[in-house]
Amino acid sequence: MKLIKHYIGWILLIFIFLAGCSDSSPAIVQKDMDGNEEESPTLVEQDEDENETEEHTMIEFNIENEQIMIELSQVPILDNYLAQIQDRQQALENMKLKKIDISTKDSLYLLSFSLHDNIGSYLLLDKSGQGSSLLLADLATVSDIIPSPDASKLLFVFDRQNAENDWQTSKLIIIDVETFTPLGMTNDRDLLFSSFKWPLENITWQDNETIVADIPAVEEPTIEELNAWIESDKTTDQIILNIIVE
């Protein structure tokens, strides 16, 4: 039952957060810019063509040797976020765009927004085709992005600090690079790692279908048990996560 709910959750996530596409206006446009220096993002109003009266609002990012334009109407999460912000310029300055270095695909970027003290929300962007986006995490810090050995998958590790205690919990998301979809994972203890429940350490790929990580040696990740674990010798158990590939 937990596994079924896990699948349903991911399916809903994909339908809600995958950016809509238009026949005439791609969501993400990239241009090579030799010698380009990184600058704060700006809002740009553009007419689609000379005969169009409707303007399109885009966010322009200048990163190393590239200019990335994001069409807000095609990325509803970002559009809705900015629509609720009074100081848009400050919101833009709190955004960061990072190109993901992976040998199998040259079109992936991670957009951080609503950042405060390095804690924020994270959108995965794919500029191929008409462009797509996927919300990965909120109120978190990205701590690592790890390609699988064959570079067919990406493992994203997000952390969330417990405000009142000396430990943080982690969330794992695995993305199929080719299909731009999240992949599920199973383990022999039926533990959930796609939400912020457990502290995780020493996270790594064992092979292309398996991830290993260390978790606290406790029965349940309750505040009481984790506080006791922090004050003890912090014994860990290794957990093996098997990627669900259809």
Side-chain angles (χ1 to χ4, degrees), residues 35-74:
N36 195 33
E37 295 183 0
E38 187 167 345
E39 300 176 0
S40 297
T42 57
L43 282 179
V44 178
E45 303 286 349
Q46 287 189 346
D47 294 331
E48 188 169 337
D49 57 48
E50 294 180 357
N51 298 321
E52 285 280 351
T53 58
E54 181 182 356
E55 288 187 336
H56 295 265
T57 303
M58 310 183 79
I59 304 180
E60 179 184 292
F61 290 88
N62 288 298
I63 59 178
E64 185 177 359
N65 297 323
E66 287 184 297
Q67 182 183 84
I68 304 296
M69 306 284 287
I70 300 175
E71 168 66 69
L72 282 179
S73 65
Q74 302 285 51

Side-chain angles (χ1 to χ4, degrees), residues 102-113:
I102 185 167
S103 60
T104 51
K105 202 164 192 177
D106 192 38
S107 61
L108 299 179
Y109 300 81
L110 185 66
L111 174 62
S112 312
F113 65 99

Side-chain angles (χ1 to χ4, degrees), residues 3 11 29 32 40 48 51 70-71 76 84-85 124 148 164 195 237 239-240 244:
L3 187 58
I11 292 170
V29 177
D32 292 329
S40 297
E48 188 169 337
N51 298 321
I70 300 175
E71 168 66 69
Q84 299 173 37
I85 300 296
L124 182 61
S148 60
E164 299 178 355
S195 61
D237 294 331
I239 193 80
I240 298 176
I244 301 172

Side-chain angles (χ1 to χ4, degrees), residues 143 157-162 165-172 189 191-193 195-203 212-218 220-223 225-230 234-239 241:
S143 64
V157 183
F158 294 96
D159 293 330
R160 183 178 288 172
Q161 184 67 44
N162 186 295
N165 300 286
D166 296 328
W167 41 266
Q168 61 187 14
T169 52
S170 300
K171 172 182 178 178
L172 304 182
R189 290 177 57 181
L191 302 178
L192 185 64
F193 296 102
S195 61
F196 296 95
K197 291 185 177 295
W198 289 87
L200 294 171
E201 299 176 347
N202 303 319
I203 306 162
V212 294
D214 292 336
I215 63 173
V218 299
E220 294 290 339
T222 63
I223 291 177
E225 289 207 41
L226 289 176
N227 281 337
W229 175 76
I230 281 289
K234 296 195 288 188
T235 304
T236 59
D237 294 331
Q238 187 178 80
I239 193 80
L241 305 176

Side-chain angles (χ1 to χ4, degrees), residues 11 16 44 65 74 95 132 139 145 173 189 211 217 234:
I11 292 170
I16 292 172
V44 178
N65 297 323
Q74 302 285 51
M95 293 182 184
S132 302
L139 298 174
I145 304 172
I173 298 181
R189 290 177 57 181
I211 293 167
K234 296 195 288 188

